[in-house]
Amino acid sequence: MSNSFLSTSIEYLKGVGPKRADILKKELRIFTYDHLINHFPFRYIDRSKIHKIKDVNSSEIHIQLRGKITRVSETGVKQGKRLIAYLQDDTGEMQLIWFKGAKWVKPKLIIGKEFIVFGKPTQFNNSFNLVHPDFEEKPKENEQVAALQPVYNSSEKANATGLNSKGIEKLTKTITPLLRQQIPETLSVALIKELKLMPRELAYQQIHHPTNPELLKKAIFRLKFDEFFFLQMRILKQKVVQEKKLKGFVFEKVGESFNSFYTKNLPFELTNAQKRVVKEIRNNVGSGKHMNRLLQGDVGSGKTLVGLLAMLLAKDNGYQSLMMAPTEILATQHFTSISKYLENTGVTILLLTGSTKVAQRRIIHAQLLSGELDILIGTHALLEDIVQFKNLGLSIIDEQHRFGVKQRSKLWQKNTIPPHILVMTATPIPRTLAMTVYGDLDISVIDELPPGRKEVTTIHKFDKDRLYVFNFMEKQIAEGRQVYVVYPLIEESEHLDFKDLMDGYESMARRFPLPQYKLSIVHGKMKAKDKEYEMQQFVKGITQIMVATTVIEVGVNVPNATVMVIESANKFGLSQLHQLRGRVGRGSDKSYCVLMTDYKLSPTAKTRIETMVRTTDGFEIAEEDLKLRGPGDIMGTQQSGVLDLKLGDLIKDNKIVVAARNYASELLKKDPELTLQEHYLVRQRLAELIKKKPNWGRIS
Ligand code: ADP
Ligand code: MG
């Protein structure tokens, strides 16, 4: 780092020394002054507010009391041993309890002296007490007390050596006065003025030791903005660099395959959203720029077809394509439906999965190398090194969230220059978030469902209403419709789930007996061939009920199925429930999704079920999901390091993210190399950040 003050080793700070420095480094990763000032408080105690003992009626918040210690006693033995002090104010009395450390605490609790005590109340029987509260002698009248006291994260080991929140507060108190003239500005004067941002130096002082809530708010905003702004700068710069560096195959003409399919074989009109996205793809692949694009579209929005059109473009320009799906069922289904679409077009297509026979594999490998084969559909099997193409021009990945970063990057290497990449997902995420976590991807969105779809009605039923649900299924089947019944599959308790599934299947078979009814069953323990057979029975309408685990979650398309019953729905995540529900409502008949649970529901499970009943909007569901789970969890991007944000929250601070993105993008448009004098500070800061963290692997 350029600034020598900030890079000073933490042991040189007054009050630290080698021993504590060691703890700070090992436990809190604080090696330098810079690390210390970036160890932000995670909350603040409002010390201006003194609570009255008689008003304490909730264990929700931290409180601060002022009173005298009236008695101190030690009771219990061994584990039950504890120190109890009684604090009295003019409204009542409260117990302060210590289970540990009585030796240190007791001598300080002088009876009759006034103390300020704070902590989080715990309810015990009908009264509240404070366990292990912080306390200090009441300040003298003329002594200044910070209204907002910072609270810092620490670790158990650091705590034990006095580097608890209080200890860290002392260190930040020591360092903040030293920051004058030492925190370089990072943004242009114009931007700071336009957004009325607090100077960075002041922001660092205020975030640790705020003068008042308003200044604290401004300080947090300033530092969050910095964080997001430079995150976006890095993403956008990388994108610009890549676009320059990465040449893409040029699909310049729209030829015979595309046109004849479009005019003769396409069974319906594309939706406007599909048309728009096809155009976006065409512009991209026709430009000589490498395409790296995310296609978002809700379940059933018709992404497959868009993928097919892109593959036909590739074919018309002399390139081969592949489409990879996460499960064998889905790959097989894509193969079947796309083969049908391609009848009489002369475009060749084959399927490669884990269960493809050796002889067939040989044929595929040979045809790929000779160029006879235009399109290869498959599962992970496509990634194997032995699968080589004559001229792969486009790789499509369906349900991309199911694949890891490594797997996806393998597809880049299947030709001398990387093929165009189109990743498709039905897990919609807010656009700003997508732009951030998927860094260098361009994004296309299909935000419209094909016409004639009826909204799926979702109902929540308790297990005891099973008879009602069975009767409902019977009615639907009598009308010629088909039904899915899905059981959860959770890896840790695979055994139990399997038993649930089998029990469920049996009771279903009793209620819907042969010969009038026929049932299919599909689960993960079956051979691929058997799964496929059972699926086909259902697809052809020979069986009316499909009992399955979540293997059918993604992509499966049986338009005649109108009921989706989800057993133990509380065990599923929101996006899974949404995916499952998307299996129905694909035809012209009114469809239903029934969420079965028992009475006991955790608060988050309850929220998930309520969300599903309330809305079918994939984006709304995704947002709720993000709130419940946090973004890292959803995209499996934690390892990417992109979400390594200290202050900002990509969801809650969405507005700041958007603003930061816009300003960053505007700035780069005006001055891509950051050579203008007014951008000198930005350039410097960016260089510093890149130096700190250079390994910013490709995320997509
Ligand atoms: P998803 O986006 O979930 O992958 P699919 O590609 O499986 O959706 O399409 C869902 C269904 O909608 C398929 O049966 C497909 O044939 C049909 N479909 C796709 N586009 C249209 C359209 N423009 N008009 C009518 N039906 C369409
Ligand atoms: Mg799909």
Side-chain angles (χ1 to χ4, degrees):
M1 199 182 308
S2 50
N3 182 310
S4 68
F5 172 81
L6 288 178
S7 55
T8 309
S9 175
I10 193 66
E11 66 182 279
Y12 299 117
L13 186 68
K14 196 169 154 259
V16 179
K19 255 199 182 145
R20 295 182 110 193
D22 215 42
I23 299 281
L24 286 169
K25 289 176 193 173
K26 282 203 187 108
E27 293 293 309
L28 304 172
R29 315 294 304 157
I30 296 174
F31 292 81
T32 62
Y33 287 8
D34 190 36
H35 293 142
L36 178 63
I37 63 169
N38 281 290
H39 189 76
F40 298 120
F42 67 93
R43 67 183 178 82
Y44 302 82
I45 298 170
D46 184 355
R47 301 219 28 198
S48 63
K49 187 168 167 61
I50 302 280
H51 291 77
K52 295 288 179 197
I53 288 176
K54 83 163 172 14
D55 296 334
V56 175
N57 57 12
S58 146
S59 54
E60 300 276 287
I61 53 159
H62 284 254
I63 55 162
Q64 177 166 246
L65 302 169
R66 184 171 59 205
K68 282 191 177 113
I69 300 289
T70 53
R71 273 175 297 156
V72 179
S73 68
E74 275 184 278
T75 62
V77 288
K78 290 200 175 148
Q79 268 84 341
K81 210 164 149 178
R82 59 191 185 275
L83 172 71
I84 301 178
Y86 294 81
L87 181 81
Q88 194 178 56
D89 69 6
D90 49 18
T91 69
E93 190 176 64
M94 184 179 281
Q95 288 189 1
L96 315 177
I97 302 173
W98 285 267
F99 297 102
K100 296 193 290 210
K103 201 164 69 175
W104 314 105
V105 176
K106 200 174 166 190
K108 294 186 192 158
L109 295 168
I110 299 160
I111 290 172
K113 234 194 179 128
E114 257 200 299
F115 286 93
I116 300 283
V117 177
F118 32 64
K120 215 171 149 189
T122 329
Q123 191 165 16
F124 183 73
N125 290 336
N126 279 330
S127 64
F128 288 88
N129 58 47
L130 292 179
V131 176
H132 290 200
D134 279 334
F135 65 96
E136 56 194 42
E137 279 178 39
K138 186 176 90 80
K140 300 192 180 66
E141 293 308 328
N142 53 7
E143 205 178 328
Q144 277 243 330
V145 185
L148 291 167
Q149 186 185 19
V151 185
Y152 296 93
N153 269 320
S154 184
S155 75
E156 205 168 320
K157 267 202 189 131
N159 262 328
T161 60
L163 286 168
N164 52 9
S165 175
K166 272 274 176 58
I168 297 168
E169 184 189 341
K170 269 196 196 127
L171 300 183
T172 59
K173 239 181 203 149
T174 308
I175 204 167
T176 37
L178 308 178
L179 296 181
R180 289 190 66 178
Q181 313 274 321
Q182 300 290 359
I183 305 285
E185 208 24 270
T186 51
L187 300 173
S188 67
V189 179
L191 188 54
I192 291 173
K193 225 171 144 186
E194 184 180 342
L195 291 173
K196 298 195 178 74
L197 294 174
M198 181 182 264
R200 214 159 153 260
E201 178 182 308
L202 185 57
Y204 269 106
Q205 288 170 343
Q206 285 294 324
I207 199 165
H208 288 289
H209 301 289
T211 313
N212 59 46
E214 288 74 49
L215 289 180
L216 174 62
K217 214 167 129 190
K218 293 196 82 166
I220 292 177
F221 183 87
R222 163 68 212 246
L223 295 173
K224 274 185 183 171
F225 185 85
D226 261 43
E227 199 169 44
F228 287 128
F229 179 80
F230 284 98
L231 176 65
Q232 296 298 339
M233 282 297 284
R234 288 194 75 163
I235 291 169
L236 293 171
K237 270 224 93 167
Q238 189 169 330
K239 204 168 152 209
V240 171
V241 170
Q242 225 170 57
E243 274 174 8
K244 274 210 187 121
K245 211 171 56 188
L246 258 185
K247 291 274 169 287
F249 298 121
V250 188
F251 300 174
E252 58 196 340
K253 65 170 185 243
V254 180
E256 176 59 22
S257 309
F258 188 98
N259 282 330
S260 78
F261 170 78
Y262 204 92
T263 49
K264 291 187 210 132
N265 287 27
L266 186 60
F268 31 65
E269 176 93 1
L270 291 185
T271 62
N272 286 329
Q274 283 171 315
K275 284 183 192 159
R276 189 189 65 235
V277 169
V278 170
K279 202 179 273 170
E280 284 166 7
I281 293 172
R282 265 172 59 179
N283 286 341
N284 194 161
V285 295
S287 69
K289 277 191 200 152
H290 176 254
M291 177 168 80
N292 190 22
R293 184 170 293 274
L294 175 70
L295 172 53
Q296 290 194 14
D298 207 349
V299 176
S301 60
K303 295 184 290 294
T304 318
L305 199 62
V306 171
L308 173 58
L309 288 166
M311 295 198 288
L312 292 176
L313 270 180
K315 155 78 180 167
D316 279 340
N317 290 275
Y319 293 94
Q320 295 166 299
S321 314
L322 67 79
M323 183 185 275
M324 182 168 78
T327 65
E328 190 145 351
I329 290 181
L330 190 54
T332 309
Q333 189 186 279
H334 281 334
F335 175 69
T336 316
S337 64
I338 294 179
S339 300
K340 208 183 277 160
Y341 280 145
L342 291 179
E343 265 168 24
N344 306 317
T345 57
V347 181
T348 52
I349 174 169
L350 285 174
L351 175 71
L352 177 66
T353 70
S355 46
T356 305
K357 294 268 163 40
V358 179
Q360 174 68 3
R361 275 173 199 251
R362 288 215 186 95
I363 295 174
I364 292 173
H365 295 160
Q367 291 197 4
L368 282 176
L369 283 174
S370 72
E372 269 167 272
L373 187 59
D374 300 318
I375 295 177
L376 181 62
I377 311 273
T379 55
H380 298 79
L382 300 184
L383 297 171
E384 287 166 20
D385 292 331
I386 192 165
V387 181
Q388 292 294 335
F389 295 74
K390 180 176 181 213
N391 201 8
L392 180 66
L394 170 67
S395 294
I396 299 181
I397 306 166
D398 194 18
E399 307 298 345
Q400 63 83 34
H401 60 284
R402 291 295 195 95
F403 293 99
V405 176
K406 269 218 185 90
Q407 292 172 319
R408 279 180 266 152
S409 74
K410 272 203 127 173
L411 289 176
W412 286 67
Q413 295 146 19
K414 296 254 177 204
N415 205 343
T416 44
I417 74 170
H420 293 300
I421 307 277
L422 181 66
V423 297
M424 309 199 290
T425 182
T427 308
I429 51 176
R431 204 177 173 90
T432 46
L433 183 61
M435 288 191 288
T436 306
V437 291
Y438 294 127
D440 49 355
L441 265 76
D442 286 308
I443 296 173
S444 288
V445 183
I446 306 184
D447 50 6
E448 180 186 355
L449 292 179
R453 296 278 165 80
K454 303 232 167 73
E455 189 152 302
V456 179
T457 298
T458 303
I459 23 186
H460 175 206
K461 286 278 165 201
F462 293 110
D463 289 338
K464 70 162 183 47
D465 300 322
R466 192 167 297 279
L467 283 183
Y468 165 90
V469 177
F470 280 170
N471 291 341
F472 178 69
M473 286 167 59
E474 185 178 0
K475 271 197 211 121
Q476 287 283 310
I477 294 171
E479 287 176 25
R481 304 285 85 78
Q482 290 166 283
V483 179
Y484 292 100
V485 182
V486 176
Y487 288 82
L489 185 63
I490 298 166
E491 261 143 48
E492 305 92 73
S493 60
E494 207 177 321
H495 229 71
L496 257 178
D497 287 335
F498 188 65
K499 191 178 168 302
D500 283 353
L501 174 76
M502 283 321 196
D503 290 351
Y505 177 73
E506 272 162 31
S507 75
M508 206 70 69
R510 253 176 277 139
R511 176 61 177 74
F512 296 96
L514 285 164
Q516 191 184 355
Y517 299 100
K518 295 194 187 65
L519 279 63
S520 279
I521 182 164
V522 170
H523 57 78
K525 289 189 175 171
M526 287 163 72
K527 290 217 181 76
K529 204 175 76 209
D530 299 335
K531 267 193 240 173
E532 176 54 26
Y533 173 81
E534 292 281 330
M535 269 315 295
Q536 282 310 322
Q537 293 288 96
F538 190 65
V539 171
K540 288 180 191 151
I542 295 167
T543 53
Q544 297 97 353
I545 301 176
M546 161 63 76
V547 180
T549 55
T550 46
V551 288
I552 64 143
E553 172 195 335
V554 286
V556 172
N557 191 28
V558 180
N560 190 46
T562 54
V563 184
M564 166 63 67
V565 180
I566 304 177
E567 296 281 349
S568 305
N570 50 305
K571 287 193 188 171
F572 293 86
L574 256 181
S575 70
Q576 247 185 335
L577 290 172
H578 181 59
Q579 282 269 352
L580 283 168
R581 180 168 60 185
R583 299 309 105 211
V584 296
R586 308 195 134 228
S588 49
D589 299 295
K590 172 87 192 130
S591 294
Y592 304 87
C593 175
V594 186
L595 305 172
M596 306 287 298
T597 71
D598 64 14
Y599 279 117
K600 271 183 276 155
L601 286 178
S602 72
T604 54
K606 204 164 163 231
T607 310
R608 290 198 296 267
I609 303 273
E610 282 167 3
T611 306
M612 287 296 292
V613 171
R614 182 183 72 235
T615 179
T616 54
D617 178 336
F619 278 88
E620 195 180 333
I621 289 170
E623 234 153 274
E624 194 64 48
D625 202 22
L626 284 169
K627 273 192 228 145
L628 292 174
R629 297 204 304 177
D633 194 28
I634 281 198
M635 269 78 61
T637 42
Q638 250 140 2
Q639 77 277 23
S640 75
V642 175
L643 297 185
D644 181 20
L645 294 166
K646 280 207 149 70
L647 278 177
D649 178 321
L650 283 167
I651 309 302
K652 290 192 195 120
D653 300 322
N654 186 268
K655 279 201 182 120
I656 313 180
V657 181
V658 177
R661 172 118 183 157
N662 291 342
Y663 283 106
S665 141
E666 231 166 79
L667 193 153
L668 280 174
K669 228 180 261 160
K670 191 167 155 201
D671 183 16
E673 300 302 327
L674 304 177
T675 44
L676 294 180
Q677 178 58 30
E678 57 185 292
H679 297 144
Y680 173 74
L681 293 174
V682 172
R683 189 177 71 202
Q684 238 188 357
R685 175 68 175 162
L686 198 60
E688 186 184 312
L689 290 171
I690 289 171
K691 212 159 118 195
K692 258 196 217 166
K693 236 174 133 201
N695 303 325
W696 231 43
R698 159 164 293 116
I699 317 151
S700 47

